[in-house]
Amino acid sequence: MQAYSQHPAYARPFTAAPQGAIHRPVPQPQPQPQPQPQPQPSPPKRAAKLRWVASPPPSAVRRRRAVPAVPYSGPPSYPVPPRWGFPNLTWRRPTNVPGTASGEIRPIDRIPVLARSLTTILWTFAVLAVTAAVAESWRYALLVESRDSALNSGVVGFSDAFVMLAGLLTTIFSLLPAGLSVWWLLVARQAAADEAGEVPPRPVWQVLVGVLVPLVNLPLALSVVSELEHAVLRRPRDERPKPSRLVLGWWATWAANWVLLIVTIIWRIRPGVQAMADSVLLVALTDLAAAVLAIGTALVIRRFSHLLMPIAPERLRDLRVLKVEGAPEPELRTARPVGAAR
């Protein structure tokens, strides 16, 4: 038997095994393991996108000295009149720089000049057409009078010269407003499309065919001008154009002028004295229709040009309030605020 030394801190000797009876726990039945779900494969991890930004350290940045705010001391004053200033020149468009894209003249810039010149030419042509119609009417009156009595040779000669001169001037001068009107139509279509940021609804060749080709231009002219009015009024592109009364009146005059022109050409081919007299009357009616068409075209061009161009300052009127009706009475102040001027 091995002896152990007694220590005051221990009542019994320290051993590695427990002393006395050993109580072991009763083994409990273990639960059956449940089948675990198979782990789903995780998606492959992508490499994180890193962006390396190099920035200087704070000590490397030189700080600017704060400039103290100077209080306002009034407008500048000069001991002598200053020698600088704007040049003594008339105003000109600053974007018209030769050799650059800004030097190109836009279609909207051509509208005022074209409209002003074309309106003057159309009214001049209307006067010439009315004069030619008066000459033809005088000739017809002489033809009616010649059935019962002889005519003076001087009067007949003057009438023939008047008819020939008026008719020749009207025929030659009609080419100028016709060509300028087609040019204005093409420029106005492009200007309206540029302002709306879209493309013109018809190509140029269809517009020329619909305006210049006889018999085809009778129905197509209304469509072309109605589309232009639709674009000028800034209406939606997918909406069907609805011509105004002015456009409808212009188209009626346009159709009547072409119908009278075709009938006059066919009637003058017929033989006989009565056909010649009737052709004189038809020419007079054609000249009157041409004058009305010129006036209607001038009105259409003027209206469309005013809608395309910005509002001119001289067309605005200064308005002022003269009287207010139906408004509640303003609340009166019972006390004067501090600092308010008397």
Side-chain angles (χ1 to χ4, degrees):
M1 184 174 181
Q2 186 177 1
Y4 297 92
S5 60
Q6 300 292 330
H7 193 275
Y10 298 96
R12 62 180 65 184
F14 178 78
T15 59
Q19 300 294 329
I22 298 176
H23 300 277
R24 299 182 180 275
V26 179
Q28 300 292 333
Q30 297 293 332
Q32 295 297 329
Q34 299 293 333
Q36 298 292 334
Q38 295 295 333
Q40 298 294 335
S42 59
K45 297 182 178 181
R46 297 182 179 178
K49 294 182 180 180
L50 302 179
R51 181 184 178 188
W52 296 92
V53 180
S55 58
S59 59
V61 179
R62 298 181 59 182
R63 298 183 178 180
R64 296 182 180 181
R65 298 180 58 184
V67 179
V70 180
Y72 178 73
S73 58
S77 60
Y78 303 93
V80 294
R83 300 301 181 95
W84 57 267
F86 294 104
N88 189 15
L89 299 173
T90 58
W91 182 88
R92 59 183 182 272
R93 189 178 298 277
T95 57
N96 289 343
V97 181
T100 61
S102 60
E104 300 179 359
I105 301 178
R106 302 178 303 166
I108 192 66
D109 299 329
R110 300 180 185 270
I111 294 296
V113 181
L114 275 177
R116 193 179 306 112
S117 304
L118 186 53
T119 303
T120 304
I121 293 173
L122 287 171
W123 280 99
T124 305
F125 173 76
V127 173
L128 285 177
V130 171
T131 305
V134 171
E136 294 290 344
S137 301
W138 186 21
R139 169 180 280 187
Y140 186 78
L142 292 178
L143 290 176
V144 174
E145 185 181 355
S146 64
R147 294 184 306 176
D148 301 330
S149 62
L151 300 176
N152 188 358
S153 59
V155 175
V156 174
F158 182 80
S159 174
D160 292 341
F162 187 25
V163 169
M164 184 176 299
L165 180 61
L168 186 61
L169 289 178
T170 304
T171 304
I172 295 176
F173 197 78
S174 64
L175 301 177
L176 182 59
L180 290 179
S181 299
V182 174
W183 186 17
W184 176 88
L185 177 62
L186 298 178
V187 174
R189 288 176 68 255
Q190 190 62 43
D194 293 343
E195 291 296 321
E198 299 175 351
V199 182
R202 293 175 185 265
V204 177
W205 69 269
Q206 290 187 7
V207 176
L208 296 178
V209 170
V211 173
L212 300 178
V213 178
L215 299 181
V216 179
N217 56 9
L218 292 180
L220 290 182
L222 178 61
S223 301
V224 172
V225 179
S226 298
E227 291 173 356
L228 176 59
E229 184 185 29
H230 190 84
V232 166
L233 294 176
R234 277 88 171 174
R235 292 175 179 173
R237 188 182 180 90
D238 54 353
E239 184 179 344
R240 184 180 180 85
K242 296 180 180 179
S244 60
R245 294 181 179 179
L246 178 61
V247 175
L248 290 176
W250 173 87
W251 178 73
T253 310
W254 168 273
N257 182 78
W258 277 97
V259 170
L260 284 174
L261 180 61
I262 295 174
V263 171
T264 303
I265 294 175
I266 295 175
W267 206 265
R268 298 191 70 169
I269 301 175
R270 299 180 58 188
V273 179
Q274 185 62 38
M276 295 177 60
D278 294 340
S279 63
V280 172
L281 185 59
L282 288 175
V283 170
L285 294 177
T286 304
D287 292 336
L288 288 177
V292 176
L293 177 62
I295 296 175
T297 305
L299 295 178
V300 170
I301 290 176
R302 180 181 179 183
R303 179 172 182 266
F304 288 4
S305 300
H306 286 169
L307 292 175
L308 280 174
M309 294 183 299
I311 300 177
E314 59 270 11
R315 297 179 58 193
L316 299 177
R317 295 182 300 175
D318 296 333
L319 303 179
R320 59 177 181 173
V321 180
L322 299 178
K323 186 178 181 181
V324 179
E325 297 180 355
E329 294 293 334
E331 182 180 358
L332 300 179
R333 295 185 301 179
T334 57
R336 185 172 64 87
V338 179
R342 292 185 179 272

